[in-house]
Amino acid sequence: MMKWLTCRLVGCLAVIAVVLAAGALLGGRPAAMAQERGSASAESESMDELWGDQGVELTEDNRSEWFRANKYGLFLHWGLFSQAAGKWEDTTYYGITEWLMWRGRIPVADYETLAGQFNPEAFDARAWARFAKQAGFRYIVITAKHHDGFAMFDSVHPFNVVDATPFGRDPMRELADACRDEGLGFGFYYSQYQDWHEINDWDGDLPRRDFAAVFEEKIVPQVEELCTGYGPLSFVWFDTPGAMTREQSMRLVDLVREHQPQALINSRVGNGVGDYSTYGDHEIPPRNVEGVWEAIDTSNNSWGFAWYDDIWKDSETIAHNLISVVARGGNYMLNIGPKPDGTLPADNVAFLEQVGQWLALHGETIYGAGPSPWGQRLPFGEVTTRGQTLYLHVFDWTPGGKLRLYGLDTEVRQAVLRDETQTALAFEQDDAGWLTVTLPMAAQPGLVPVVELTLAGEPEVDSRVVGLDHEHPTTLLSHHAEVAGCRHGKASWMETFGEWKHVITLDGWQDGGTARWPVIPHAAGRWAVEIEYNAFDEADASDFALTVEQHGQTTDTANIHLLATTGPRGHMAPSTHFNTPRYRFMNRRVAVIHLETPGPYTLTLQPRNGVKASGPEIHAIRLVPLD
Ligand code: JFZ
C-alpha cells in the first residue's frame, strides 16, 4: 500500500505497468482508515456470538463490525488465464499468471480462443463452498472479471462465460447460491480500470476507445449486473484504479450502495472512497495498523493457476500468517488459483483443511479477536485478545520452555493451555515488569499451541521498551527505532512468480545518523547481533557501531561491517513480470554484545567512517541469546 503515490497516468499500458510495479494503481488509503479501533465489547455474549458465528449480521450499519468478526476470507482468481496456466504457445511467462495477455502482448482475437477451450466440467460450487466452510473461511471473493476483460458471469457483453465457452453455465451464480446456503459471505472481484479486451496498446486491430467510453459502455453496466443479479453481496472488491477520476470511483460506489447497501467496498476502487484498506499484496505489516484493513496473500506464489507453481505454503505457515494479521489488527484473505477443469489444487486444499481443523478448536482466538497490545510480534509468537483474555499463540514450542512477556501492567489470574487437557500452567509476574509462563514438558499440542491468560482487567501494556528474552531471539524492527540522520522507509518489489515483497527499513543514512532502541534483558548475558539488511554495491562494506548504554554510560560497543548483499543495482531476470529493482535482504550475524546488569539499556546503531550511497537499508536487528 503506497499511499503517497497518486496515479495521473492515462493511455500507455506499458507506463501503467511500471507504475503498477511501484504500486500506484492501488487505491489510496480510504478515510475509513481513520476510524476507531475495534474491540469485542460485549463480554456477556455467548462464545458463539463472540466468535462471529452468525452473531453479527452484515447490514449497512455494521459493515466494519461484521468484517472484524469474520477475519479470514478465501480469494479465488479464476478465469481464462487459468486455462492458459501461465503458458502461451510455447512460452511460459513465469510469474503473475493472470497477466498473461499483457505479458504475451496477445491480440484480442487470439486471446478469445481460450474461451473456446474453457470447459470446467468438474466445477462443483457446493463442493467449493463446503470446503471453504470446513477450512474456516468466513467469506469468498472471486474474480468476476479480471484485467483480461473476460466476464466469468452472464453478461450483456458477449465476452462472457455463458455465451463464449462450451461450458455455458454461470459459475458466479452457482457459487453465490452455494455460499449463501453454507452461511458464507460472498463477493465479487471486478477489475474496473484495466480491461485489455477493450483497451490495450498492442493490438492494432482494436478500435481506439478511451476509458471514459468503456466505463459507460461496459464497466458501469457490468457492475450493475453483478449488483442486481446475484442476491445480497458481502463485498465488491475493485482492483487497480489507475487513472480513474474521483467521479468515476464515486459512480461505482453509488451504484454498489444503491443495490447492495450492506456490501463492503475495498480501497482499490480508487480515490480514497472505499470502506476498508487493502494492504499491498502478500504483505503482513510488522506493526499494528489501526482502522479496517485486510492483508491479501496467495497459497503458492501466483494468483491465477500456474502449471509450474507448486510452492505451497504449508499449514503452519498459513496459520502463522493468519494469526499475525489478526494480531496486527486486520483480516487475512488468502488466495487459491482454481484449475481450468474447475477443481482446486489438492495439496493446496489439504494444507488449508489442516488450518480449518485448528480453527475449529481455536476460532475464539481469531474471529472477532483484537490486536496484540504489544503492537508487534513477540519472541515466542503472537498475542490476540478478547476483553480480559489474552491468547498467546506459541510459534516456537519447547517442552518445559518459558514464555516471557515484558510490560504487562495488568494482573494475571490464570494461565491455561488450550488443548483437551486444559492444563493450568505455572506463571509468575515480577516487580520488574516480566510475566513468565512455564510450558508443560509435553510435545507440541497441535498446529499452533495456544495459552489462554485470564486477566484481572483489560490488558494495559507498555510496549515501548522491548523485552529481551534469553531463550528466543528478539527482533528489533526498524520502525520501532527512534531516528535522527536516517529515515523510516520501505522497499517493495516483485519476485520471480509475481509475488510482492515489502520490507520496512531504516534508510537514507547520513554521517552521524542514529537509530536507537530501548531494550530490557530478562537476565544478564551475551547476545549475538544479527542484522537483516539490503546493501547495493555502492554501499558495500559500510561500517557501523552498535553502542550499548545504561544510565547514559557506554557499557559495550560492537563494530559492524555490512557487506553488499545484491551485486550491482540491477533489474530482475527477463522472465519476470516487471523491471523492478532487485533487492536482496539477508540476515547476517555481525557481532556479539554483553548486557551484564539488570535494568533497561539503549542500543544505538550509528555509521562510523562516512556513509557511502546513503548506506544499507536495514530491516531489523535480531538479538539471539547465547547464554
Ligand atoms: C492486482 C492485480 O493486478 C493482480 O493480478 C491480482 O489480481 C492482485 C490481487 O491485485 O495486483 C496488484 C495491485 C497492487 C499491488 C500489487 C499487486 N500493490 O500496490 O502492491
Side-chain angles (χ1 to χ4, degrees):
M1 181 88 206
M2 275 144 267
K3 62 184 169 185
W4 61 87
L5 286 169
T6 47
C7 182
R8 286 282 167 271
L9 296 166
V10 211
C12 175
L13 280 167
V15 175
I16 286 170
V18 172
V19 174
L20 173 67
L25 281 168
L26 254 184
R29 189 160 296 201
M33 281 302 281
Q35 275 179 10
E36 87 302 341
R37 203 197 190 127
S39 73
S41 50
E43 255 78 283
S44 55
E45 286 173 47
S46 82
M47 267 312 163
D48 267 8
E49 282 168 327
L50 281 174
W51 290 25
D53 264 321
Q54 279 75 44
V56 184
E57 205 190 318
L58 178 56
T59 67
E60 189 176 345
D61 302 321
N62 70 350
R63 292 188 202 108
S64 355
E65 201 193 336
W66 178 87
F67 189 66
R68 288 191 175 106
N70 288 292
K71 288 291 178 194
Y72 188 35
L74 174 62
F75 208 4
L76 296 170
H77 274 65
W78 199 38
L80 291 187
F81 48 82
S82 317
Q83 184 68 38
K87 193 169 168 189
W88 185 255
E89 288 164 349
D90 289 329
T91 307
T92 291
Y93 293 86
Y94 292 97
I96 200 156
T97 332
E98 67 284 359
W99 280 63
L100 182 80
M101 184 181 180
W102 186 94
R103 300 197 54 212
R105 301 294 188 276
I106 302 170
V108 169
D110 294 350
Y111 192 81
E112 282 177 343
T113 61
L114 285 172
Q117 302 158 34
F118 189 70
N119 195 10
E121 279 183 322
F123 171 65
D124 176 351
R126 294 199 179 267
W128 283 17
R130 269 197 307 273
F131 152 72
K133 180 88 178 186
Q134 270 195 343
F137 293 108
R138 290 301 181 82
Y139 49 88
I140 294 183
V141 174
I142 185 165
T143 48
K145 188 201 82 173
H146 206 268
H147 309 332
D148 64 5
F150 181 70
M152 286 289 282
F153 58 99
D154 193 5
S155 174
V156 290
H157 192 285
F159 192 43
N160 76 70
V161 67
V162 177
D163 296 321
T165 73
F167 187 53
R169 283 154 52 188
D170 181 346
M172 299 297 109
R173 173 172 318 287
E174 293 175 24
L175 192 61
D177 292 346
C179 285
R180 206 161 300 121
D181 292 349
E182 288 292 339
L184 290 165
F186 180 76
F188 292 119
Y189 168 111
Y190 185 86
S191 172
Q192 80 276 26
Y193 179 72
Q194 297 194 79
D195 188 319
W196 306 321
H197 187 266
E198 314 307 322
I199 299 174
N200 71 46
D201 70 349
W202 58 83
D203 186 342
D205 295 335
L206 199 64
R208 297 289 120 189
R209 285 189 298 164
D210 62 7
F211 176 68
V214 171
F215 186 73
E216 296 303 328
E217 290 160 24
K218 182 172 181 184
I219 309 306
V220 170
Q222 284 198 331
V223 171
E224 188 155 15
E225 287 175 330
L226 291 170
C227 286
T228 52
Y230 296 85
L233 301 176
S234 317
F235 297 90
V236 183
W237 207 98
F238 293 101
D239 200 10
T240 64
M244 298 248 303
T245 64
R246 195 186 156 83
E247 289 65 40
Q248 286 165 337
S249 295
M250 276 315 294
R251 270 285 288 292
L252 297 180
V253 169
D254 291 343
L255 193 56
V256 175
R257 297 284 190 244
E258 183 189 343
H259 300 293
Q260 301 282 348
Q262 75 294 336
L264 285 127
I265 301 171
N266 68 332
S267 54
R268 292 188 185 178
V269 68
N271 297 292
V273 295
D275 293 313
Y276 69 101
S277 176
T278 298
Y279 245 75
D281 300 8
H282 305 91
E283 178 173 20
I284 298 177
R287 304 188 73 195
N288 286 14
V289 173
E290 306 265 321
V292 190
W293 61 273
E294 71 181 351
I296 57 174
D297 200 0
T298 46
S299 300
N300 49 356
N301 282 326
S302 49
W303 297 98
F305 176 71
W307 70 264
Y308 52 83
D309 184 359
D310 273 334
I311 308 168
W312 308 111
K313 295 182 176 75
D314 61 26
S315 41
E316 190 180 61
T317 305
I318 292 163
H320 287 183
N321 286 352
L322 168 62
I323 295 162
S324 292
V325 172
V326 173
R328 298 288 80 76
N331 280 29
Y332 190 53
M333 186 155 76
L334 181 65
N335 181 75
I336 295 181
K339 301 208 282 190
D341 68 359
T343 62
L344 307 176
D347 285 329
N348 194 347
V349 163
F351 286 131
L352 295 177
E353 281 175 347
Q354 286 176 320
V355 177
Q357 284 157 16
W358 181 84
L359 279 165
L361 296 172
H362 298 293
E364 179 190 327
T365 77
I366 298 295
Y367 305 118
S372 170
W374 279 267
Q376 61 178 28
R377 221 202 104 152
L378 291 176
F380 65 82
E382 293 279 17
V383 181
T384 62
T385 59
R386 187 183 295 282
Q388 299 181 195
T389 305
L390 294 182
Y391 304 107
L392 314 183
H393 295 88
V394 185
F395 289 8
D396 185 4
W397 175 274
T398 318
K402 311 271 187 207
L403 307 181
R404 291 206 171 82
L405 300 95
Y406 178 75
L408 176 65
D409 290 332
T410 322
E411 184 198 330
V412 178
R413 292 263 164 88
Q414 70 170 9
V416 170
L417 183 64
R418 280 182 58 94
D419 67 351
E420 62 281 356
T421 66
Q422 293 284 304
T423 313
L425 302 181
F427 66 91
E428 194 200 321
Q429 254 177 316
D430 68 22
D431 295 341
W434 287 91
L435 164 69
T436 306
V437 180
T438 304
L439 298 177
M441 285 299 302
Q444 174 169 325
L447 188 61
V448 186
V450 185
V451 173
E452 184 169 327
L453 300 184
T454 309
L455 308 186
E458 299 264 332
E460 298 284 341
V461 172
D462 173 5
S463 61
R464 216 185 65 82
V465 180
V466 177
L468 297 187
D469 194 330
H470 63 239
E471 287 178 25
H472 304 89
T474 304
T475 299
L476 305 177
L477 286 172
S478 56
H479 277 204
H480 205 97
E482 217 174 86
V483 299
C486 67
R487 285 185 316 234
H488 293 297
K490 180 168 161 182
S492 297
W493 71 100
M494 188 183 260
E495 295 221 333
T496 319
F497 287 173
E499 71 277 23
W500 284 82
K501 302 284 177 190
H502 307 266
V503 179
I504 57 167
T505 59
L506 293 170
D507 61 21
W509 289 93
Q510 297 164 15
D511 291 342
T514 53
R516 297 158 67 85
W517 289 266
V519 299
I520 184 162
H522 177 260
R526 294 170 306 158
W527 273 265
V529 178
E530 297 179 355
I531 299 200
E532 188 178 343
Y533 70 102
N534 168 72
F536 291 112
D537 254 7
E538 303 91 301
D540 187 21
S542 301
D543 279 316
F544 281 80
L546 184 68
T547 313
V548 181
E549 279 169 277
Q550 193 171 44
H551 312 304
Q553 304 280 45
T554 299
T555 59
D556 195 10
T557 303
N559 294 318
I560 291 171
H561 201 59
L562 296 180
L563 300 171
T565 58
T566 59
R569 183 187 284 272
H571 288 96
M572 305 294 291
S575 70
T576 321
H577 178 44
F578 296 118
N579 280 339
T580 53
R582 178 203 298 264
Y583 291 88
R584 200 170 287 150
F585 281 81
M586 288 186 182
N587 193 56
R588 288 216 175 108
R589 192 164 284 207
V590 289
V592 171
I593 54 170
H594 296 246
L595 305 173
E596 299 294 5
T597 51
Y601 286 84
T602 303
L603 302 186
T604 305
L605 187 66
Q606 179 162 36
R608 288 177 68 221
N609 305 317
V611 174
K612 290 186 240 168
S614 55
E617 295 165 307
I618 294 174
H619 171 56
I621 296 185
R622 216 152 273 136
L623 296 172
V624 183
L626 297 174
D627 297 306

